[in-house]
Amino acid sequence: MTTTPVEKSINGRQPPVEVSPALEERGGLPAFLANLKALPDTARDSVVRHGVPTSDRARSQTVFSNFFLHVMSVRVHLRSLKFSATMGLGIILLVLFGILTFTGILLMVYYKPAVDLAYDSMKDIIYVVPSGRFIRNIHRWAAHGMVLCVFLHMARVFYTAAYKKPREFNWVIGMALFVLTLGLSFTGYLLPWDQLAFWACTIGANIAQSPRELTDALGITASLDIGGMQKELLLGAHYVGQEALVRFYVLHVVVLPLVLTLFAAVHIWRIRKDGGLAKPAETVPPRPTGKDVEAPSMTAMTPKQGDPSTRTWGLMALMKGRTPAVGKELRNTIPAYPNALYAIAALAMLTTAVMLFLGYFFDAPLKELANPGIPENPAKAPWYFLGLQEMVSYSAFMGGVGIPAVVILGLALIPYLDREREIPGRWICGQEGIRVAWQTALFSFLFTVALLTFTVNFGWLRNWFLEIPQIIITFVNPGTVLVTAFIVWSLGIIGKTRSTRMSAIALFTCFIVAFVVLTYFATVHRGPNWDFYWWPSQWPTH
């Protein structure tokens, strides 16, 4: 078989090696030796169908025929490759999940999910298994990094209006991924079976039981104990023990990773089907008219780079309806392969390098063996739940269930409530959005700090009225006051700007700032018995 130079340039590969007809007729050993000699080339050709791409067509064929690259479009806009457009957070999250999967499998080889063996297996991993400490450190830092990046990714998508039509459902999938990421981190927190893990998960179990506060106030706990059922479903018992450890282990290493992988695959697929990364539409210059238009010529039929006024299109067929390609422009686009692949590889290497650095220089903590008889004081949840724990200290139900449910539901409904036309991919809607965001951030910061200062100095309703009904404490507490103030502020913004998008920016910014302030406050200023201290150095010593 012969291959012309044109075919070589199109396919970007050498012609396949074939056995000559003479050898085929002779068969036997000569043909076998010829096949053996051609084995590297034939094996490569069976895997790499299009060889090294040397043209746009070959690059397109590479994307179409590769299982992993097919999630990308053939061409990618130059703006999508800029770091300022997405900060690469989606790619970083995928890399971190891959690191967690790889290091988690290595840790599973030595870990034993039993209350009498788990802690010793952790010590073996740290002190006996070669590189065990290093692998565990990487796993823990990657877990924290994934939680942080999923917060940042959600904020980036919101502030660039990347949830607008037709991406509404993909935003909901993203919220599901957000919850699954928190679930993965929380279930992994118990596995070391030390004091930190045991009492942090005890707090989580008590939050799951918090609906009992409401049912007790209504007097229906005896017939409908929702909180007790949730706690027993989570732990497999009424306490954190062997059943809880096995359930958390199975959720952490099997159930949640599989579900998260499924949702992540749908999420990435929807990005591809919804038109790729959100970006502002380009303005196509109008075609010149009047005396400025030159007479038709062969040179005018040749497209000039960046000048759509001289481009021509051929009409091949007429069809009913619009195809996905209608309205799309090829200007400022480049082949996704290898350009996007280079960007992904660079982010992957940078993310891996950061995890290796953190894993080498900063050890993951391992405290004393879990002891149900000696509680940690203060017993604190993981950092991403500390803001929640601060609100739980005022009302277990509203702080642990009611307010988080309202926030998650409200975030999921944003694309369906904010239907204003918006330029996708543009940060915070320009100057007006930036002004609203800064004003809202200042309001949220001052109001949250003022409310915390008030509760520290003067307490709350229970400190003033000892006989006040619990149902009032449940629904009137600093957490609900905070949420109510944020809703009122966002309604004021919509009345002032006549824009649901501005109102959404205000409400989202309120919750982001409050989350940061509450997390800082609970981390630094809450000490033993959840009392206020300026610094941890002021904690009482035993």
Side-chain angles (χ1 to χ4, degrees):
M1 183 182 72
T2 60
T3 305
T4 66
V6 175
E7 289 174 327
K8 286 170 129 182
S9 65
I10 291 177
N11 295 330
R13 63 190 296 180
Q14 295 298 324
V17 178
E18 294 189 355
V19 180
S20 65
L23 285 177
E24 285 184 348
E25 291 180 2
R26 292 172 58 185
L29 185 60
F32 172 76
L33 293 175
N35 291 336
L36 187 62
K37 181 180 179 181
L39 179 60
D41 293 328
T42 54
R44 180 202 62 199
D45 293 341
S46 69
V47 176
V48 184
R49 301 175 61 186
H50 297 285
V52 179
T54 57
S55 65
D56 282 357
R57 176 182 175 184
R59 296 185 186 100
S60 301
Q61 290 174 332
T62 301
V63 171
F64 281 136
S65 62
N66 188 286
F67 174 79
F68 299 100
L69 297 180
H70 192 56
V71 296
M72 297 189 299
S73 58
V74 173
R75 302 185 68 85
V76 61
H77 199 275
L78 286 172
R79 185 184 181 280
S80 299
L81 294 180
K82 290 184 178 180
F83 182 78
S84 59
T86 65
M87 295 182 289
L89 291 168
I91 299 300
I92 292 173
L93 282 168
L94 283 177
V95 174
L96 289 175
F97 183 62
I99 292 174
L100 285 168
T101 302
F102 177 72
T103 55
I105 291 172
L106 295 180
L107 294 173
M108 285 173 61
V109 175
Y110 299 97
Y111 178 77
K112 304 175 181 66
V115 292
D116 55 341
L117 300 174
Y119 187 76
D120 289 337
S121 66
M122 293 302 301
K123 293 177 68 175
D124 288 341
I125 289 172
I126 295 174
Y127 300 110
V128 178
V129 177
S131 301
R133 181 197 298 267
F134 185 48
I135 296 299
R136 178 177 181 249
N137 293 345
I138 294 174
H139 191 80
R140 186 177 182 87
W141 283 112
H144 286 315
M146 190 169 177
V147 173
L148 176 62
C149 286
V150 79
F151 275 106
L152 295 176
H153 183 59
M154 179 177 64
R156 195 280 301 171
V157 171
F158 175 83
Y159 282 122
T160 57
Y163 60 82
K164 295 283 187 175
K165 187 178 181 179
R167 299 175 175 86
E168 303 99 325
F169 182 65
N170 212 20
W171 168 266
V172 177
I173 296 175
M175 292 304 304
L177 288 169
F178 169 73
V179 174
L180 288 170
T181 301
L182 294 180
L184 267 172
S185 296
F186 178 68
T187 51
Y189 216 77
L190 179 64
L191 302 187
W193 201 250
D194 61 349
Q195 281 285 80
L196 179 64
F198 181 88
W199 289 103
C201 290
T202 299
I203 293 172
N206 291 336
I207 291 176
Q209 191 184 20
S210 62
R212 184 175 289 179
E213 175 188 353
L214 181 61
T215 57
D216 283 345
L218 297 175
I220 61 173
T221 302
S223 56
L224 184 62
D225 187 8
I226 299 175
M229 288 188 293
Q230 286 186 167
K231 182 177 181 180
E232 189 164 355
L233 181 65
L234 180 66
L235 302 181
H238 298 294
Y239 56 90
V240 180
Q242 177 62 50
E243 292 81 3
L245 182 60
V246 171
R247 292 193 179 202
F248 277 51
Y249 180 72
V250 173
L251 285 171
H252 186 71
V253 304
V254 179
V255 178
L256 292 179
L258 288 177
V259 176
L260 189 142
T261 301
L262 175 63
F263 274 81
V266 175
H267 190 63
I268 296 171
W269 176 76
R270 285 299 298 249
I271 293 174
R272 172 79 167 84
K273 296 300 181 181
D274 291 340
L277 298 176
K279 60 184 180 299
E282 294 184 277
T283 302
V284 179
R287 188 177 182 88
T289 58
K291 62 181 180 180
D292 295 330
V293 181
E294 298 179 0
S297 64
M298 290 303 295
T299 57
M301 300 295 290
T302 304
K304 295 179 181 179
Q305 183 67 25
D307 185 8
S309 64
T310 59
R311 295 186 178 185
T312 60
W313 281 262
L315 181 62
M316 303 304 171
L318 293 175
M319 59 192 308
K320 185 178 180 180
R322 296 177 55 173
T323 71
V326 172
K328 293 188 177 180
E329 180 63 57
L330 293 180
R331 291 179 308 131
N332 297 325
T333 63
I334 55 177
Y337 179 83
N339 300 284
L341 196 61
Y342 287 163
I344 293 172
L347 276 174
M349 289 188 290
L350 179 62
T351 304
T352 304
V354 171
M355 293 301 108
L356 292 175
F357 174 84
L358 293 175
Y360 187 81
F361 288 103
F362 301 96
D363 287 338
L366 184 69
K367 303 189 77 171
E368 298 83 5
L369 176 66
N371 188 341
I374 305 178
E376 286 281 290
N377 193 12
K380 292 190 176 183
W383 66 267
Y384 39 87
F385 285 139
L386 278 177
L388 202 66
Q389 188 176 355
E390 175 66 25
M391 291 191 296
V392 165
S393 64
Y394 305 113
S395 170
F397 173 71
M398 289 305 298
V401 177
I403 294 175
V406 170
V407 171
I408 295 296
L409 180 61
L411 289 174
L413 292 178
I414 281 177
Y416 305 99
L417 300 178
D418 173 23
R419 307 295 291 177
E420 289 183 7
R421 289 179 177 248
E422 171 68 22
I423 300 177
R426 187 178 63 166
W427 282 90
I428 323 183
C429 300
Q431 291 301 318
E432 184 181 16
I434 293 173
R435 183 175 62 255
V436 169
W438 276 113
Q439 292 174 350
T440 300
L442 181 61
F443 162 77
S444 179
F445 175 80
L446 293 177
F447 190 88
T448 306
V449 170
L451 187 63
L452 291 173
T453 303
F454 181 86
T455 57
V456 166
N457 288 283
F458 303 104
W460 198 248
L461 296 179
R462 182 66 71 188
N463 303 98
W464 312 333
F465 311 103
L466 297 179
E467 302 299 327
I468 189 171
Q470 183 60 38
I471 192 71
I472 298 179
I473 297 294
T474 299
F475 291 102
V476 183
N477 59 75
T480 55
V481 169
L482 204 63
V483 172
T484 303
F486 293 163
I487 293 175
V488 171
W489 174 269
S490 66
L491 293 177
I493 293 294
I494 197 174
K496 180 180 179 180
T497 62
R498 305 294 181 183
S499 169
T500 55
R501 171 64 175 160
M502 293 298 111
S503 176
I505 289 176
L507 192 60
F508 189 86
T509 304
C510 278
F511 283 117
I512 289 292
V513 173
F515 169 79
V516 173
V517 172
L518 290 171
T519 301
Y520 165 80
F521 189 82
T523 303
V524 177
H525 299 302
R526 288 300 189 184
N529 302 317
W530 210 248
D531 292 331
F532 174 84
Y533 295 90
W534 279 110
W535 302 110
S537 59
Q538 297 177 343
W539 290 5
T541 57
H542 299 287

